[in-house]
Amino acid sequence: MSDSKTRVLVADDHALIRDGICDLLGTTPDIEVIGVAEDGEQTLSKASELQPDIVLMDIRMPKINGMEATRLLQDKHPEMRVLCMSVHHEKLIVDSIMASGASGYLVKGNAAKEIVSAIRTVAAGKTFFCSTITASL
């Protein structure tokens, strides 16, 4: 990843969530949203086209769910980091997401407070778990 801005593709099937994340990240000087996607197929296509540093991926999306899209993305573009997000925080789901190749997991309820640090952590090559997950470990 370059020393300039971290380039992010936001993938979520809910426009309100996508727009909110884009607005929040738009005020962060070291992060640039380079595209959005509303389903798993579109995420894979845009990731190949735009080559983001990080894909911020909802795990529940139409066509191809986020877990499978993460697996496919990591097979094709292992250098791309995937930060998954969901409303779920059950250990089995988190373990499955991480096994699919994700670099981190963010619970949507914590996103406003933790998304910037999550992106920075994953961009630095580290694994990120939101406070909801770490509190239950």
Side-chain angles (χ1 to χ4, degrees), residues 88-137:
H88 302 284
H89 55 82
E90 295 79 13
K91 182 176 179 2
L92 181 63
I93 292 173
V94 176
D95 289 347
S96 296
I97 286 294
M98 298 309 290
S100 72
S103 298
Y105 194 89
L106 183 63
V107 174
K108 285 184 178 179
N110 295 22
K113 293 182 291 190
E114 297 182 318
I115 195 167
V116 171
S117 63
I119 290 170
R120 289 176 178 154
T121 299
V122 169
K126 299 175 185 164
T127 302
F128 179 87
F129 291 103
C130 69
S131 58
T132 303
I133 302 300
T134 57
S136 65
L137 296 177

Side-chain angles (χ1 to χ4, degrees), residues 24-42:
L24 180 66
L25 296 179
T27 64
T28 309
D30 59 325
I31 297 171
E32 177 184 11
V33 176
I34 60 167
V36 296
E38 58 189 47
D39 62 53
E41 284 181 2
Q42 195 176 74

Side-chain angles (χ1 to χ4, degrees), residues 31-102:
I31 297 171
E32 177 184 11
V33 176
I34 60 167
V36 296
E38 58 189 47
D39 62 53
E41 284 181 2
Q42 195 176 74
T43 301
L44 294 173
S45 173
K46 286 197 173 187
S48 289
E49 174 192 342
L50 300 172
Q51 294 293 307
D53 299 313
I54 296 174
V55 177
L56 183 60
M57 177 100 66
D58 183 17
I59 65 168
R60 300 238 172 169
M61 289 190 294
K63 297 187 182 175
I64 300 173
N65 70 47
M67 193 177 318
E68 183 61 18
T70 298
R71 190 176 350 273
L72 293 167
L73 198 58
Q74 290 299 281
D75 286 346
K76 190 170 183 183
H77 304 284
E79 74 287 353
M80 245 177 245
R81 313 276 290 167
V82 179
L83 176 60
C84 287
M85 59 182 175
S86 176
V87 296
H88 302 284
H89 55 82
E90 295 79 13
K91 182 176 179 2
L92 181 63
I93 292 173
V94 176
D95 289 347
S96 296
I97 286 294
M98 298 309 290
S100 72

